[in-house]
Amino acid sequence: MTYEIIGQTVPAVEVMLDCGESMYTQRGGMVWQTNGIKMNTNARGGIGRSLGRIFTGESIFMANYTSEVNGAKIAFGSTVPGCVVPVDISRGEMIVQKGSFLCAQQSVDLKATFTKKFTSGLFGGEGFILQRLFGKGIAFLEVDGDKVERFLAPGEVLKVDTGNVVAFETSVSYDVETVKGLGNIFFGGEGLFLTKLTGPGRIILQTQNFNDFAGRIVSRVPRG
């Protein structure tokens, strides 16, 4: 499997597959394909794992695309302006927030995972359940805006608006911290909580929080 990232504003990843090679994606991720690719939709990982994806806001079913010829091409596109980021899961598992997963090789698995502390998910703004990527191979993540990558040293802390977290290695601990001060809470415009990431490990952030962006658009839509 080889790939090319195409486009800059709303990019896609075009993958070239040999016979028997396969990719899977969330429903609606495919944007174009050449002849020689067979599609199959299933509840990847069984009903139990599929139901777990409901809590992440993703579809129960995954679309699988398998090449029946050498050199077939298929592209998977992002949904908002930003970038597509490849991650090699063979180098280590990753925890990703809902909406960040775009597509992956069949040798990469995806399942819902619970945060270590109930309060982290209950109040964190992105839901109690995240997703864990594990196995061997390449997965592609969708980043809103620009990608920012950091490598945290042991014990190093970075506090981030929850909507700007894309993914982090499983060695990074995840918690939620309450914003201090009533004035900050009511007038700061940043919400009640921040995501607290503690190293060691790699984290991927995005410069745009699309939910906030969409909320601003909605607030300006005329009513009545």
Side-chain angles (χ1 to χ4, degrees):
M1 186 272 288
T2 59
Y3 65 88
E4 178 185 5
I5 307 297
I6 298 175
Q8 296 181 343
T9 304
V10 187
V13 55
E14 185 179 64
V15 180
M16 185 167 68
L17 303 173
D18 284 336
C19 184
E21 291 185 323
S22 182
M23 299 285 294
Y24 71 95
T25 184
Q26 304 281 4
R27 184 174 60 185
M30 193 278 298
V31 290
W32 69 77
Q33 61 180 285
T34 62
N35 286 332
I37 292 179
K38 180 180 179 180
M39 177 182 175
N40 176 52
T41 303
N42 58 31
R44 181 180 177 87
I47 297 298
R49 186 175 296 181
S50 300
L51 290 176
R53 286 197 294 269
I54 293 179
F55 295 99
T56 69
E58 306 292 0
S59 171
I60 294 178
F61 298 99
M62 294 284 188
N64 301 269
Y65 297 91
T66 303
S67 179
E68 297 180 318
V69 298
N70 289 329
K73 293 183 178 181
I74 183 168
F76 304 93
S78 56
T79 55
V80 300
C83 53
V84 174
V85 177
V87 289
D88 186 355
I89 304 303
S90 305
R91 298 181 178 179
E93 299 178 4
M94 298 286 290
I95 304 296
V96 302
Q97 72 150 306
K98 63 180 182 180
S100 294
F101 173 78
L102 178 59
C103 62
Q105 293 179 283
Q106 291 290 346
S107 55
V108 175
D109 215 339
L110 175 71
K111 67 178 294 185
T113 184
F114 288 88
T115 59
K116 294 180 180 179
K117 294 184 179 179
F118 179 76
T119 54
S120 298
L122 186 63
F123 302 113
E126 294 300 320
F128 181 45
I129 302 177
L130 300 169
Q131 297 181 98
R132 181 167 63 97
L133 286 169
F134 60 100
K136 302 291 183 181
I138 305 294
F140 297 90
L141 305 180
E142 182 177 349
V143 172
D144 301 344
D146 293 317
K147 179 192 75 168
V148 177
E149 192 168 342
R150 293 284 187 269
F151 292 87
L152 299 181
E156 183 180 2
V157 173
L158 189 66
K159 299 176 183 179
V160 188
D161 186 285
T162 305
N164 293 93
V165 177
V166 177
F168 50 90
E169 292 179 331
T170 53
S171 58
V172 176
S173 63
Y174 168 96
D175 203 350
V176 170
E177 184 175 279
T178 306
V179 174
K180 296 179 174 60
L182 290 178
N184 293 329
I185 292 173
F186 290 108
F187 306 115
E190 297 296 336
L192 294 175
F193 307 98
L194 292 174
T195 300
K196 180 180 178 181
L197 301 172
T198 305
R202 173 193 182 196
I203 62 174
I204 300 174
L205 308 176
Q206 56 191 15
T207 59
Q208 182 183 67
N209 181 336
F210 188 75
N211 289 332
D212 286 351
F213 177 70
R216 291 189 180 188
I217 293 177
V218 171
S219 70
R220 286 166 171 75
V221 174
R223 296 185 176 92

PDB file of all heavy atoms in Angstrom, residues 161 183-191 212:
ATOM      1  N   ASP A 161      -7.743  23.109  25.253  1.00  0.00           N
ATOM      2  CA  ASP A 161      -9.181  23.056  25.035  1.00  0.00           C
ATOM      3  C   ASP A 161      -9.520  21.689  24.446  1.00  0.00           C
ATOM      4  O   ASP A 161      -8.881  21.237  23.502  1.00  0.00           O
ATOM      5  CB  ASP A 161      -9.612  24.172  24.079  1.00  0.00           C
ATOM      6  CG  ASP A 161     -11.117  24.243  23.925  1.00  0.00           C
ATOM      7  OD1 ASP A 161     -11.656  23.366  23.222  1.00  0.00           O
ATOM      8  OD2 ASP A 161     -11.747  25.147  24.482  1.00  0.00           O
ATOM      9  N   GLY A 183     -15.176  34.570  37.625  1.00  0.00           N
ATOM     10  CA  GLY A 183     -15.084  35.505  36.511  1.00  0.00           C
ATOM     11  C   GLY A 183     -14.600  34.833  35.244  1.00  0.00           C
ATOM     12  O   GLY A 183     -15.108  35.093  34.143  1.00  0.00           O
ATOM     13  N   ASN A 184     -13.606  33.951  35.379  1.00  0.00           N
ATOM     14  CA  ASN A 184     -13.104  33.221  34.214  1.00  0.00           C
ATOM     15  C   ASN A 184     -14.165  32.290  33.646  1.00  0.00           C
ATOM     16  O   ASN A 184     -14.286  32.124  32.431  1.00  0.00           O
ATOM     17  CB  ASN A 184     -11.864  32.413  34.600  1.00  0.00           C
ATOM     18  CG  ASN A 184     -10.693  33.300  34.961  1.00  0.00           C
ATOM     19  OD1 ASN A 184     -10.561  34.399  34.431  1.00  0.00           O
ATOM     20  ND2 ASN A 184      -9.858  32.838  35.874  1.00  0.00           N
ATOM     21  N   ILE A 185     -14.927  31.659  34.541  1.00  0.00           N
ATOM     22  CA  ILE A 185     -15.943  30.705  34.099  1.00  0.00           C
ATOM     23  C   ILE A 185     -17.055  31.403  33.326  1.00  0.00           C
ATOM     24  O   ILE A 185     -17.462  30.969  32.248  1.00  0.00           O
ATOM     25  CB  ILE A 185     -16.524  29.945  35.310  1.00  0.00           C
ATOM     26  CG1 ILE A 185     -15.458  29.019  35.915  1.00  0.00           C
ATOM     27  CG2 ILE A 185     -17.767  29.144  34.915  1.00  0.00           C
ATOM     28  CD1 ILE A 185     -15.880  28.344  37.205  1.00  0.00           C
ATOM     29  N   PHE A 186     -17.536  32.527  33.851  1.00  0.00           N
ATOM     30  CA  PHE A 186     -18.706  33.174  33.257  1.00  0.00           C
ATOM     31  C   PHE A 186     -18.364  34.146  32.130  1.00  0.00           C
ATOM     32  O   PHE A 186     -19.167  34.369  31.234  1.00  0.00           O
ATOM     33  CB  PHE A 186     -19.511  33.905  34.341  1.00  0.00           C
ATOM     34  CG  PHE A 186     -20.212  32.983  35.286  1.00  0.00           C
ATOM     35  CD1 PHE A 186     -19.764  32.836  36.591  1.00  0.00           C
ATOM     36  CD2 PHE A 186     -21.306  32.237  34.872  1.00  0.00           C
ATOM     37  CE1 PHE A 186     -20.413  31.982  37.473  1.00  0.00           C
ATOM     38  CE2 PHE A 186     -21.957  31.371  35.744  1.00  0.00           C
ATOM     39  CZ  PHE A 186     -21.515  31.238  37.048  1.00  0.00           C
ATOM     40  N   PHE A 187     -17.165  34.725  32.180  1.00  0.00           N
ATOM     41  CA  PHE A 187     -16.846  35.760  31.206  1.00  0.00           C
ATOM     42  C   PHE A 187     -15.630  35.432  30.334  1.00  0.00           C
ATOM     43  O   PHE A 187     -15.323  36.174  29.408  1.00  0.00           O
ATOM     44  CB  PHE A 187     -16.595  37.098  31.925  1.00  0.00           C
ATOM     45  CG  PHE A 187     -17.728  37.504  32.825  1.00  0.00           C
ATOM     46  CD1 PHE A 187     -17.534  37.576  34.201  1.00  0.00           C
ATOM     47  CD2 PHE A 187     -18.974  37.797  32.306  1.00  0.00           C
ATOM     48  CE1 PHE A 187     -18.575  37.945  35.039  1.00  0.00           C
ATOM     49  CE2 PHE A 187     -20.023  38.163  33.141  1.00  0.00           C
ATOM     50  CZ  PHE A 187     -19.829  38.230  34.506  1.00  0.00           C
ATOM     51  N   GLY A 188     -14.936  34.346  30.624  1.00  0.00           N
ATOM     52  CA  GLY A 188     -13.713  34.036  29.876  1.00  0.00           C
ATOM     53  C   GLY A 188     -13.947  33.489  28.495  1.00  0.00           C
ATOM     54  O   GLY A 188     -13.070  33.553  27.637  1.00  0.00           O
ATOM     55  N   GLY A 189     -15.137  32.909  28.257  1.00  0.00           N
ATOM     56  CA  GLY A 189     -15.460  32.397  26.934  1.00  0.00           C
ATOM     57  C   GLY A 189     -14.762  31.110  26.572  1.00  0.00           C
ATOM     58  O   GLY A 189     -14.781  30.687  25.410  1.00  0.00           O
ATOM     59  N   GLU A 190     -14.123  30.436  27.533  1.00  0.00           N
ATOM     60  CA  GLU A 190     -13.381  29.216  27.236  1.00  0.00           C
ATOM     61  C   GLU A 190     -14.034  27.970  27.816  1.00  0.00           C
ATOM     62  O   GLU A 190     -13.462  26.895  27.759  1.00  0.00           O
ATOM     63  CB  GLU A 190     -11.948  29.327  27.779  1.00  0.00           C
ATOM     64  CG  GLU A 190     -11.127  30.441  27.149  1.00  0.00           C
ATOM     65  CD  GLU A 190     -10.896  30.240  25.667  1.00  0.00           C
ATOM     66  OE1 GLU A 190     -10.945  29.088  25.211  1.00  0.00           O
ATOM     67  OE2 GLU A 190     -10.679  31.238  24.973  1.00  0.00           O
ATOM     68  N   GLY A 191     -15.217  28.103  28.409  1.00  0.00           N
ATOM     69  CA  GLY A 191     -15.879  26.939  28.968  1.00  0.00           C
ATOM     70  C   GLY A 191     -15.401  26.659  30.386  1.00  0.00           C
ATOM     71  O   GLY A 191     -14.576  27.381  30.962  1.00  0.00           O
ATOM     72  N   ASP A 212     -16.819  24.685  17.870  1.00  0.00           N
ATOM     73  CA  ASP A 212     -16.925  26.101  18.224  1.00  0.00           C
ATOM     74  C   ASP A 212     -17.172  26.949  16.981  1.00  0.00           C
ATOM     75  O   ASP A 212     -17.970  27.897  16.999  1.00  0.00           O
ATOM     76  CB  ASP A 212     -15.650  26.573  18.918  1.00  0.00           C
ATOM     77  CG  ASP A 212     -15.548  26.061  20.348  1.00  0.00           C
ATOM     78  OD1 ASP A 212     -16.539  25.485  20.845  1.00  0.00           O
ATOM     79  OD2 ASP A 212     -14.471  26.232  20.946  1.00  0.00           O
TER      80      ASP A 212
END
